[in-house]
């Protein structure tokens, strides 16, 4: 399978060269699309240098400023779906998502429409150095979203995902309204409403190795309120099931 990884970046200059090296060392047919939001630390320039170093394997999509996770991925999907990639991956640039997990995720994708890199299935875990409050907040966020939306999944907030091309093409992603991290939940709920087969592959979710986390309690509280709107906005597709696919 030809796999394209989409990685949104903002101030990831410390991580990006290491990520590219780790991805291209895998026994997979991989390419990378970097979606950079005009990072002040020079990530965009560094991404261009990597594209020159790996022609045909690294592409860069430059945006004028911070425009949110939703538009970063939707812009990335649009660009990649105009090409030949069979599989698209959503992945953070900060090494919280272990690139090596892509090997097992790609195996599971052979029998699924989308695969989640899951922290909460047997074999999965979160950073051992996280304080208890952070582990509890992460677990509760998943429980909260799963319960309200009725999702039969363990990790609906994970940002590590592998999609079949045809799955994304059959989803009306333009209906997704969330711009923050709840975008990830909304996208998975949309796939669930359309009755796509969703697999979960265990991952170890590490805290970022370099740089500063962009997650905050305020962002998570906003996400908690937004879940109820997601439930309401997709009630027609929940009822339609596979008939709601494009």
């Amino acid at each position: 399978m030809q796999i394209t990884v989409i990685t949104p970046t903002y101030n990831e200059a410390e991580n990006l060269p290491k990520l590219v090296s780790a991805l291209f060392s895998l026994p997979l047919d991989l390419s990378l699309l970097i979606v950079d939001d005009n990072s002040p630390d020079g990530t965009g320039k560094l991404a261009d240098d990597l594209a020159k170093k790996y022609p045909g394997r690294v592409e860069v999509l430059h945006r004028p400023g911070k425009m949110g996770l939703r538009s970063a991925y939707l812009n990335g999907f649009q660009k990649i779906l105009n090409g030949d990639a069979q599989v698209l991956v959503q992945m953070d640039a900060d090494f919280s998502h272990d690139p090596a997990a892509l090997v097992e995720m790609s195996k599971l994708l052979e029998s699924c429409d989308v695969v989640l890199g899951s922290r909460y299935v047997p074999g999965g875990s979160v950073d051992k150095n996280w304080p208890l409050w952070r582990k509890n907040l992460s677990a509760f966020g998943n429980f909260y979203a799963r319960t309200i939306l009725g999702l039969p999944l363990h990790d609906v907030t994970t940002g590590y995902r592998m999609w079949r091309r045809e799955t994304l093409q059959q989803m009306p992603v333009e209906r997704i309204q969330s711009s923050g991290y709840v975008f990830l939940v909304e996208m998975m709920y949309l796939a669930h409403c359309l009755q796509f087969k969703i697999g979960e592959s265990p991952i170890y979710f590490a805290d970022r190795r370099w740089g500063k986390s962009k997650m905050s309690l305020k962002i998570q509280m906003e996400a908690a309120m937004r879940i109820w709107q997601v439930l309401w906005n997709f009630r027609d597709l929940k009822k339609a099931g596979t008939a709601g696919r494009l």
Side-chain angles (χ1 to χ4, degrees):
M1 296 183 291
Q2 204 290 311
I3 302 170
T4 298
V5 176
I6 303 172
T7 302
T9 58
Y10 187 79
N11 288 348
E12 298 289 359
E14 291 178 277
N15 296 311
L16 199 54
K18 303 177 184 70
L19 178 65
V20 171
S21 178
L23 285 171
F24 290 168
S25 69
L26 297 174
L28 297 170
D29 183 7
L30 276 176
S31 60
L32 175 66
L33 173 64
I34 302 161
V35 183
D36 186 66
D37 280 359
N38 197 23
S39 300
D41 74 342
T43 300
K45 172 62 168 61
L46 181 58
D48 287 335
D49 292 341
L50 289 166
K52 293 175 183 176
K53 183 177 179 180
Y54 300 98
R57 297 195 73 185
V58 176
E59 286 191 272
V60 187
L61 180 59
H62 292 281
R63 308 200 306 169
K66 294 185 73 173
M67 300 169 66
L69 195 65
R70 170 185 172 274
S71 64
Y73 275 124
L74 295 187
N75 289 168
F77 290 153
Q78 183 180 35
K79 182 175 179 63
I80 298 305
L81 290 174
N82 286 329
D84 299 323
Q86 298 168 289
V87 175
L88 289 79
V89 172
Q90 294 173 264
M91 183 181 190
D92 290 347
D94 60 10
F95 280 91
S96 56
H97 299 151
D98 182 3
L102 289 172
V103 176
E104 291 303 317
M105 290 171 69
S106 66
K107 293 177 182 177
L108 185 55
L109 191 69
E110 294 175 5
S111 58
C112 297
D113 299 306
V114 55
V115 171
L116 304 180
S118 178
R119 300 160 288 183
Y120 301 114
V121 293
S125 59
V126 298
D127 196 295
K128 60 184 179 182
N129 295 318
W130 272 9
L132 184 61
W133 70 265
R134 189 171 177 186
K135 292 180 180 178
N136 289 339
L137 182 62
S138 175
F140 178 76
N142 258 287
F143 171 78
Y144 181 86
R146 287 190 291 112
T147 301
I148 293 172
L149 299 176
L151 288 166
L153 301 167
H154 295 85
D155 195 348
V156 299
T157 62
T158 177
Y160 204 3
R161 290 140 184 236
M162 180 177 281
W163 299 84
R164 287 183 174 273
R165 174 192 186 90
E166 54 269 26
T167 304
L168 286 170
Q169 289 177 320
Q170 293 179 76
M171 292 173 59
V173 294
E174 70 280 353
R175 290 188 54 171
I176 297 175
Q177 298 178 14
S178 305
S179 58
Y181 282 84
V182 74
F183 159 76
L184 298 169
V185 179
E186 186 167 359
M187 194 170 184
M188 196 48 52
Y189 184 61
L190 176 56
H192 169 70
C193 289
L194 299 175
Q195 298 180 15
F196 285 109
K197 185 176 181 181
I198 304 168
E200 293 187 87
S201 183
I203 63 167
Y204 172 68
F205 183 85
D207 206 356
R208 60 184 298 128
R209 297 184 189 177
W210 301 276
K212 184 179 178 181
S213 174
K214 302 170 184 69
M215 178 58 73
S216 68
L217 180 61
K218 179 176 182 290
I219 289 173
Q220 295 203 26
M221 292 301 294
E222 289 172 351
M225 297 300 296
R226 176 73 189 149
I227 295 296
W228 293 97
Q229 292 176 288
V230 171
L231 181 67
W232 176 257
N233 290 344
F234 291 113
R235 62 195 185 282
D236 59 323
L237 293 182
K238 178 67 174 174
K239 183 177 180 179
T242 58
R245 298 181 186 181
L246 299 178

